[in-house]
Amino acid sequence: MKQYIDSYQHKGLRKRLVDLLRSKGISDERVLDAINAIPRHFFLDSAFDLIAYEDRAFPISADQTISQPYTVAYQTQLLQIKKSEKVLEIGTGSIYQSSVLAELGARVYTIERQKKLFDEQKDFVFKSKYPNIKFFYGDGFEGLSTYMPFDKIIITAAAPFIPPKLIAQLKPGGMMVIPLDEGEVQRMLRITKNADGTLTEESFEAFSFVPMLTGKNS
Ligand code: SAH
């Protein structure tokens, strides 16, 4: 049974991580505060307890990864989350990115295609702290038509193309942050859906994600 202890040592390491993210160019203090508030080591196997605050991706179940803190901060900053916004996340993974969004006051709808990872939300340590996260087992390419439209959409896996159904589920004025596959790496894009339905695309840094795959995995 995993012990959930957030010691002074963890807090100190976390503070240093936040300083590092700031020095790497993350400037939204609300995003940095959210990262400072969430014990990342709770989302990892206890073997990673003291390295959890290195700016690195780590393995989680089902051969997937928890994103690097810089990547989480970068995508979250691009999303410009406002309190109570409806946010769709593709790729729940460790629930860390979902928690950062929830800490910022978003109403989070997160989809995971790996059954094993989806099932882990039953034991999610912050279930009562973040009742604003709703979990779904499904294929992110389909989105969640029942709950549309969304103010923001975040994809946390390497997308081979811009999923048309997700664009359709975005509110006019809404934004999607998507790492679009370019072969070896992915280009971070922010796509804004204008009031007339046209799209504006902005291009940012390159990142490396696990692939966004179609269908569900039992
Ligand atoms: N946001 C996660 C990152 C996990 S890595 C975190 O903070 O830990 C990306 C995740 O996307 C993996 O768990 C993978 O299984 C999931 N994924 C890949 N393709 C998907 C799809 N089509 N629909 C839903 N989830 C998908």
Side-chain angles (χ1 to χ4, degrees):
M1 182 62 192
K2 190 171 156 74
Q3 300 264 308
Y4 292 104
I5 298 162
D6 191 24
S7 69
Y8 282 107
Q9 190 179 11
H10 292 117
K11 290 189 172 87
L13 291 168
R14 197 151 68 239
K15 172 83 177 43
R16 269 174 38 198
L17 171 64
V18 167
D19 290 341
L20 176 69
L21 297 178
R22 197 183 280 112
S23 76
K24 284 184 166 182
I26 304 297
S27 55
D28 186 334
E29 288 296 326
R30 290 175 58 240
V31 172
L32 294 169
D33 284 350
I35 286 176
N36 202 33
I38 302 172
R40 187 177 187 241
H41 64 287
F42 285 11
F43 297 76
L44 290 164
D45 189 274
S46 49
F48 300 104
D49 195 54
L50 289 177
I51 55 169
Y53 296 99
E54 291 181 9
D55 191 21
R56 287 169 53 188
F58 288 108
I60 54 173
S61 311
D63 289 329
Q64 302 303 316
T65 55
I66 180 173
S67 300
Q68 187 181 338
Y70 178 67
T71 309
V72 172
Y74 196 96
Q75 287 197 281
T76 309
Q77 177 165 287
L78 284 180
L79 278 175
Q80 299 175 354
I81 299 293
K82 295 181 198 73
K83 226 172 157 28
S84 303
E85 278 186 334
K86 263 171 83 176
V87 180
L88 175 64
E89 179 194 23
I90 312 303
T92 313
S94 68
I95 327 181
Y96 180 71
Q97 170 73 74
S98 324
S99 302
V100 171
L101 296 168
E103 182 68 30
L104 288 166
R107 288 178 288 149
V108 183
Y109 295 74
T110 185
I111 313 180
E112 176 55 58
R113 68 179 291 280
Q114 293 279 356
K115 184 73 164 59
K116 187 166 190 307
L117 284 171
F118 170 75
D119 286 343
E120 287 176 9
Q121 50 89 16
K122 288 200 293 280
D123 305 318
F124 178 43
V125 57
F126 291 129
K127 240 188 159 78
S128 55
K129 184 176 181 199
Y130 299 129
N132 49 335
I133 305 179
K134 301 208 176 340
F135 297 93
F136 299 85
Y137 170 50
D139 178 359
F141 282 101
E142 299 297 319
L144 287 174
S145 53
T146 322
Y147 296 93
M148 68 175 275
F150 296 96
D151 296 290
K152 307 280 164 70
I153 298 180
I154 173 172
I155 302 185
T156 69
F161 54 85
I162 299 168
K165 288 187 181 165
L166 298 187
I167 294 289
Q169 293 175 21
L170 197 57
K171 253 187 208 169
M175 295 192 307
M176 178 194 298
V177 170
I178 169 170
L180 192 66
D181 219 345
E182 290 185 330
E184 290 290 288
V185 292
Q186 297 88 50
R187 178 67 47 193
M188 195 65 77
L189 300 183
R190 180 168 61 190
I191 297 169
T192 304
K193 188 173 185 175
N194 303 311
D196 63 2
T198 57
L199 304 177
T200 302
E201 217 174 277
E202 297 165 274
S203 180
F204 298 91
E205 284 173 32
F207 289 87
S208 182
F209 284 83
V210 294
M212 181 174 179
L213 302 171
T214 44
K216 290 188 284 189
N217 191 342
S218 56

